[in-house]
Each structure stands twice: as C-alpha cells, then as structure tokens.
Amino acid sequence: MLSGQIADAFATVFAGELIDRFGHFKLWHAGGSFLVAISFSSVFGGCLPCKILGTNSSTVQTIGYSTFAAIFNVGWAATQVSHMSMVNCITLNPTSRVALASCRNAFTMVSNLSLYAIALAVFSVYDAKQSADVKIEYRWIAYLSIFIGCCFVVIFLIGTKEPELKLQVQCKDLSRISWAHWFKKVLYYQVALVYMLTRLATNVSQALLAFYVIDDLKMNHSSKALVPAIIYICSFMVSVMLQEIRWTGWRLKAFFTGGAIFWIFSGAGIFVLPSKLQSFMYILSITIGVANALMMVTAISMESVLVGEDLNGCAFVYGSLSFLDKLSCGLALYVLESYQAGVPAAMDNHVVTAGHFSISRCGLGLIPATCALLSAIITYTIRLPDRSRTLMEPLLVGS
C-alpha cells in the first residue's frame, strides 16, 4: 500500500504539470481510468508474476502486488487530477464551484454505497464456506465494480465536453503559470496543509474503522458494513444540502471549522467509548459523516479559491496538494501497521488492556481529531475573499 501511495503522490504532480501543459481533461481521464481498470482487476485476479515464474514466494508476491498497486495509483492520479481540475474550468462563479465540489463529494458517497450493494448481492448469491470461496467472492465484487465503473466512465466521456473556459485560455495562447508563482503565495501553503490534514483524517479513519468496530467494541460483523454506510449516507445528505448555500470566504471557513469541531468531539467519543456502550457508535457515525462532508467539500473549495482565474496552473495545484495527501496518508498507515506488528501479544488483536489502548482506538480517536484541530487553527489564519455570487440553478435539477 505504501508503494502505491508513493507512486500516486509523485504521479499527481507530474499529471498536474502535463495536464496544464497539454490540456485535454477527458483524454487524461480516459487514460487514467483504463490503467485503474486493468491494474485493479490484476490485483484481485491473483499474483500475475507468481503465475509467470511458477512460484509463490512472499518476495515475488510483494513485488507483483506492489507493481500493480503503483500502476493503479498512477492511473488514479491522472483520473483524479483531471476531474478535479475540470471544476475550475467549467465556471468562474465561486458559489458554482462549491456546488460542483459538493455534488462531486455526494456522488462519491453514492459510489461507496453502491459498492456495499454489490457486495451484498454477491454474498447473497455465492455462499462462501472456505478461504478459496471467499477469494472468488471478492474477485466477483471487484470485477462487477470495474464493469459498472467503466460504464459510467463511458457515459461521462460521451456526455461531457471539454470545458470552454480552458479552451478559451488555450486559444488566447496565454503562458503557462510556473510552479514558482504558487510557491510565492502564503495561501498556497495554508490551503495545502488544510487539505492534507483533512484527507489524513478521512483516510485514516476509514482504514481503521472496521478494526475498531469489531475488535474494540465487539460489535456484530454486520456493523462493519452498517457503520460506514451510515457515514456515507450522512455525507451524501450534507453534500447535497451544501449546494444550496450562497458561499463566501467567511462561510467556507465557518463550515470547515464546524466540521472540524464535529470530528474533535467524535474522536473524543471514540477514544473513551467502552464496548458495553457500543450502540453509541451509530450516533458517532452520524457526526463523522457530517464532519467528513463539511470538511472535504470546503477544503476542496478552498483549492478553487486559491486557483481563482489562473486556469493555466489549476491542475498543478490539485496535483501538488494531492502529493502531500497521498504521501502523508501512506506514511501514517505504514507507521500504524508497523507499530501494530511490534506490540506485545496481549495487544496483538487490537484489544484494550489495563492501562493500554489499542492501535485502532488511538488511531481512530486521536489522529483524525488532532488533524481536525490543527486544520481548524490554520483555517482561522487564512484570508479568503468574501465575494459571493448566487447559484442560479440547482446542480441536480436540469442539465
């Protein structure tokens, strides 16, 4: 996973630079989607180098899976940066940009929920009784997800046009904005830290949630699907509601701070919640879902404010900020797993013992809350313009 995150980190920077230089968002999106589909199917299809070399050694498996994970993340970098950059080139209206970001986040939650629906269907049809059967189940889940995802990619590529604002900039033959232009801005570093901490909070919590629910709270195995589902549903609802707000710089900061406060209280609750009060986790999942939506939508919108009308450098902004996001998340998860591997046997199963807390409890309770606190402090120091323009038509209505 670390190799994939590192590959993704560097790929986002290069993808951003190339997209700014040559344009063609849809072409980059299509190429990245192709790499994602091929590499993702290869990861779940088994160790390809092992089959070629006729060996199942752990070294060959590590190299094989790491290679395809890196290819997957390179493709994902091209897809993500091109798609996020399109938002700024569709409109210059700040409120419309926030609405597009919230719409994007809402449908991200829909895709996450759709994955659970696919898994439920596969588990209902295919009754796995052995380890080999479980592998087949997850391969079917992966293949069906790839197929449905490719269908929506085709719809996206056919149903959208290259943003007119970007084409106008290219026709005017304006010079490309250099990296130094962004590095001289204090706002660039502030937004970069806020975005990195926001993604660190959401990604670490997502990675550790199942361990915490099952091993620490001793909840039913169905809860490791139900709790994330509640989070995604709440995030979707909040993301849709955020589209109807007339946005200013002050409101962006206020809503982000509100989301950070939700995460701080949620993290504190997770850290102290005993297993006998496990039902309260469903309440915490609601606050986490609200917090994730508020922080993610407003953090991405701050990136749009940073870009402004400098469309010839918008892809580099998203790419470079994603570099910090991927690298920090990869290192954080690597450190957590490395520490988990080195703890005593009594703590090996994420169990809370006298005077000790499990890795999943500390990681899920303290890391996102700390990131939320730091990002809220940084947000307070950011100076954002208070210009606001009304969104004339809701995004989910009309074309």
Side-chain angles (χ1 to χ4, degrees):
M1 185 172 183
L2 179 62
S3 66
Q5 289 293 100
I6 292 175
D8 195 354
F10 285 98
T12 51
V13 178
F14 290 113
E17 172 65 17
L18 293 175
I19 291 172
D20 281 334
R21 188 181 294 271
F22 300 108
H24 302 293
F25 293 121
K26 291 173 60 178
L27 184 62
W28 284 96
H29 189 278
S33 300
F34 176 77
L35 289 179
V36 166
I38 296 299
S39 58
F40 198 65
S41 59
S42 300
V43 167
F44 280 89
C47 178
L48 184 60
C50 298
K51 296 177 182 178
I52 296 175
L53 298 177
T55 178
N56 286 321
S57 69
S58 59
T59 302
V60 176
Q61 289 184 17
T62 300
I63 294 174
Y65 285 119
S66 298
T67 300
F68 282 112
I71 295 173
F72 169 85
N73 283 282
V74 169
W76 179 248
T79 304
Q80 183 185 40
V81 173
S82 61
H83 195 268
M84 294 178 71
S85 300
M86 286 183 73
V87 171
N88 297 288
C89 297
I90 290 174
T91 177
L92 295 177
N93 186 330
T95 296
S96 297
R97 284 181 171 180
V98 178
L100 285 169
S102 62
C103 186
R104 186 178 186 274
N105 191 69
F107 279 95
T108 300
M109 299 305 108
V110 171
S111 67
N112 290 335
L113 289 170
S114 300
L115 181 59
Y116 282 98
I118 294 172
L120 180 62
V122 171
F123 292 151
S124 300
V125 173
Y126 198 93
D127 185 19
K129 296 181 179 179
Q130 299 179 354
S131 177
D133 296 331
V134 174
K135 291 181 180 179
I136 295 176
E137 281 186 334
Y138 279 92
R139 284 177 184 174
W140 272 110
I141 294 172
Y143 294 152
L144 288 172
S145 301
I146 293 169
F147 174 75
I148 295 174
C150 288
C151 290
F152 278 98
V153 168
V154 172
I155 293 173
F156 168 76
L157 295 175
I158 295 175
T160 59
K161 299 179 180 179
E162 285 287 334
E164 294 182 0
L165 290 176
K166 184 66 174 179
L167 294 176
Q168 292 173 5
V169 170
Q170 291 176 340
C171 291
K172 292 178 181 178
D173 196 26
L174 297 178
S175 60
R176 186 180 59 84
I177 297 175
S178 66
W179 296 9
H181 169 78
W182 302 110
F183 293 154
K184 292 176 182 178
K185 288 189 173 185
V186 176
L187 182 61
Y188 174 84
Y189 299 99
Q190 292 173 317
V191 173
L193 288 174
V194 169
Y195 180 73
M196 180 191 72
L197 292 170
T198 300
R199 293 306 298 259
L200 194 59
T202 55
N203 290 347
V204 170
S205 62
Q206 187 177 14
L208 298 178
L209 184 61
F211 292 111
Y212 174 76
V213 166
I214 300 300
D215 296 325
D216 286 274
L217 298 184
K218 308 298 181 184
M219 299 177 73
N220 296 328
H221 279 273
S222 60
S223 61
K224 66 181 179 182
L226 182 57
V227 170
I230 294 174
I231 293 175
Y232 296 144
I233 291 173
C234 293
S235 292
F236 171 78
M237 295 174 63
V238 172
S239 297
V240 171
M241 289 187 290
L242 290 176
Q243 297 178 27
E244 305 302 323
I245 297 174
R246 186 177 181 181
W247 289 98
T248 63
W250 180 86
R251 285 181 180 173
L252 278 178
K253 294 170 62 175
F255 275 79
F256 182 89
T257 303
I261 292 173
F262 271 117
W263 239 125
I264 292 170
F265 281 106
S266 299
I270 289 170
F271 188 71
V272 301
L273 185 65
S275 58
K276 59 185 178 182
L277 297 177
Q278 58 184 224
S279 299
F280 281 94
M281 187 60 204
Y282 294 112
I283 298 176
L284 290 174
S285 63
I286 295 175
T287 60
I288 292 173
V290 173
N292 284 346
L294 289 174
M295 294 179 66
M296 186 57 62
V297 170
T298 51
I300 293 176
S301 300
M302 289 181 196
E303 292 182 272
S304 295
V305 174
L306 171 63
V307 171
E309 299 183 6
D310 297 330
L311 302 184
N312 268 355
C314 63
F316 170 75
V317 171
Y318 287 106
S320 59
L321 268 58
S322 293
F323 169 83
L324 297 176
D325 150 40
K326 308 300 181 185
L327 202 59
S328 61
C329 289
L331 291 174
L333 293 174
Y334 180 80
V335 170
L336 287 171
E337 288 299 324
S338 299
Y339 185 80
Q340 177 61 35
V343 297
M347 292 286 291
D348 193 42
N349 292 320
H350 301 79
V351 178
V352 180
T353 60
H356 296 281
F357 293 96
S358 68
I359 302 302
S360 57
R361 182 179 290 269
C362 292
L364 184 60
L366 296 182
I367 293 180
T370 303
C371 291
L373 177 61
L374 293 174
S375 60
I377 294 173
I378 296 171
T379 300
Y380 178 77
T381 66
I382 297 178
R383 292 184 178 181
L384 297 176
D386 285 328
R387 299 187 305 271
S388 66
R389 292 167 63 184
T390 304
L391 179 64
M392 300 304 297
E393 186 177 1
L395 278 177
L396 295 182
V397 180
S399 57

